[in-house]
Amino acid sequence: MAKLNPFEIVQKQVDKCAQILKLDPQVTAVLKSPMRELHLSLPVRMDDGTIKVFHGFRVQYNDARGPAKGGIRFHPDETIDTVRALSAWMTWKCAMVDLPLGGGKGGIICDPKTMSSGELERLSRIYMRNVFQFIGPERDVPAPDVYTTPQIMAWMMDEYSAMMGKSQFGVITGKPIPIGGSKGRGDATARGGMFTIREAAKALKLDLRKATFAVQGYGNAGYYAAKLAKEMFGAKVVAVCDSKGGKYNEKGIDPEEAFACKEKTGSVRNLKTGKAISNEEILELDVDVLIPAAIENVITEKNAGKIKAKIIAELANGPTIPEADDILYKKGIHVIPDFLCNAGGVTVSYFEMVQNFSLYPWEEAEVQERLDKKMTAAYNSVLKTSRDYKINMRQAAYVIAVKRVVEAMKLRGWV
Ligand code: GLU
């Protein structure tokens, strides 16, 4: 199979939205390309004394609605087109939950699983030194994403602060709580997704207390999704996996036990009980709620027809390709699209920025309550638009988000 290019997928999605909204082609052209991008070569001294050059990117896709916002990924398969796509999705995501922010994304081609903590720190710091001129609290604010952690955010914030000669907590979000992080940021992506699942279940009249869940990916989003599905709804998580494989157990999997197993052995596939399952098989299980929480392009025209879940809640960015969307819609599967479902992360990142600017930390309950309001309003507006226009949930989310971005560009006199 030819490798799917996520940026081509974004362009297809924008074209579809432009068609629904009957956008001026000149406006569509602006929406289809990133405004600015930075390409970096970063020499890092490795523990064995050699110097290795890493390649990194930062893309500011569109900042019409406010400073660019979006995470930094450390991934061996990172490409500039993936970062472009992810920065576009960040633009729609921030508009979707009506944050006064634009969209950006960063990435470094590297395999953090094979690097020492010292090597990761040196890589994080040199990346920050090189994006220094390009970012800032009022320009572009990075955050964690795939394989980047609060510790990495702490090093990056420290490097930026050292260069500025003063503490600059607002330059990056997802920081550890003692140095300007927000309470509730750790599980925010998953919790936000749970609020949308709760609303979807109301719309579909599905009793979540009796529901079964399968979770693909067991990083920050996947682990907390499994944990919160059990805690918030009393639902049963019957399957979990990560990049190395996973387990299915119809009696239910304890999310904490799976987490401990991954910490200890490197993968949830080493759970003692249950049947071995691959990270492709997990998508086709007969469950009520399927949560892709890993990487892009996992639901394609090849497997979409075999999916049995009633709800697909996309905590990953870009898990479903456009051809698969059509198949899922025809099958009546309710898809909560990525830039709606996983907007909880950036929403609490935005709360973190507000707390940093005002030097006033909030209680966790306040964070969660405000997050619930944002996600519930966003979900219900997408559901309504999807019903009004008779379009799928992703197209409906696009219609709302793109309208907001275009409105801002018009008001600023860009188009
Ligand atoms: N990386 C997360 C995302 O894709 C969070 C971005 C942020 O907090 O800025 O939404």
Side-chain angles (χ1 to χ4, degrees), residues 352-392:
E352 184 174 328
M353 288 170 72
V354 173
Q355 293 169 69
N356 292 157
F357 287 137
S358 58
L359 279 177
Y360 189 81
W362 304 355
E363 291 307 323
E364 186 155 1
E366 183 172 1
V367 171
Q368 288 176 4
E369 201 185 303
R370 287 179 188 255
L371 175 63
D372 191 348
K373 260 194 202 148
K374 278 274 179 211
M375 299 304 297
T376 300
Y379 174 87
N380 286 303
S381 67
V382 173
L383 181 67
K384 183 172 185 312
T385 303
S386 125
R387 287 177 174 166
D388 289 352
Y389 284 72
K390 296 192 175 43
I391 52 180
N392 71 35

Side-chain angles (χ1 to χ4, degrees), residues 69-71 90 93 105 141 143-145 173 185 317 342 345-346 349:
K69 184 86 193 81
M90 282 310 304
K93 190 182 304 187
K105 203 80 172 196
V141 182
D145 201 283
T173 60
R185 178 65 183 83
N317 287 310
N342 70 28
V346 74
S349 273

Side-chain angles (χ1 to χ4, degrees), residues 43-282:
V44 174
R45 173 101 39 209
M46 305 304 278
D47 290 349
D48 65 3
T50 59
I51 287 179
K52 193 168 165 193
V53 181
F54 291 88
H55 296 279
F57 315 101
R58 183 74 191 169
V59 177
Q60 293 163 0
Y61 196 83
N62 185 305
D63 57 8
R65 287 176 49 87
K69 184 86 193 81
I72 300 170
R73 306 203 313 174
F74 281 8
H75 201 278
D77 298 331
E78 197 61 285
T79 67
I80 182 62
D81 274 340
T82 313
V83 182
R84 285 180 182 136
L86 289 160
S87 67
W89 289 323
M90 282 310 304
T91 307
W92 322 139
K93 190 182 304 187
C94 292
M96 181 72 255
V97 274
D98 209 4
L99 306 178
L101 297 169
K105 203 80 172 196
I108 301 180
I109 307 169
C110 67
D111 185 359
K113 289 181 183 168
T114 63
M115 294 169 70
S116 72
S117 167
E119 289 167 345
L120 282 173
E121 176 171 356
R122 291 192 289 281
L123 178 61
S124 303
R125 289 187 184 274
I126 194 173
Y127 179 82
M128 209 53 173
R129 284 202 292 285
N130 281 274
V131 294
F132 176 75
Q133 307 270 9
F134 199 62
I135 66 161
E138 285 153 344
R139 205 175 272 149
D140 178 2
V141 182
D145 201 283
V146 173
Y147 297 150
T148 48
T149 59
Q151 178 61 69
I152 290 175
M153 301 304 110
W155 290 324
M156 289 187 172
M157 181 278 288
D158 182 68
E159 192 67 26
Y160 186 91
S161 296
M163 293 180 78
M164 290 294 285
K166 55 185 174 184
S167 280
Q168 289 278 283
F169 285 174
V171 71
I172 203 160
T173 60
K175 301 179 293 293
I177 292 172
I179 49 169
S182 175
K183 288 186 180 142
R185 178 65 183 83
D187 68 13
T189 306
R191 189 175 294 275
M194 293 302 131
F195 292 139
T196 66
I197 293 171
R198 182 194 64 203
E199 294 305 301
K202 277 188 212 159
L204 304 180
K205 301 197 171 40
L206 179 76
D207 183 356
L208 286 173
R209 285 169 306 185
K210 295 194 190 111
T212 50
F213 279 60
V215 183
Q216 185 200 43
Y218 221 69
N220 176 277
Y223 157 58
Y224 280 117
K227 180 175 149 77
L228 293 176
K230 193 173 164 209
E231 267 175 35
M232 288 170 66
F233 309 135
K236 195 171 7 163
V237 180
V238 293
V240 295
C241 74
D242 54 40
S243 60
K244 299 193 182 83
K247 280 282 164 72
Y248 169 75
N249 189 340
E250 59 180 6
K251 294 202 196 80
I253 289 169
D254 176 12
E256 295 297 356
E257 200 182 313
F259 181 77
C261 174
K262 188 171 168 79
E263 288 276 281
K264 207 166 139 216
T265 69
S267 173
V268 295
R269 80 169 174 190
N270 299 319
L271 272 167
K272 294 243 158 46
T273 51
K275 190 174 140 266
I277 191 165
S278 72
N279 47 35
E280 287 97 36
E281 285 163 344
I282 199 166

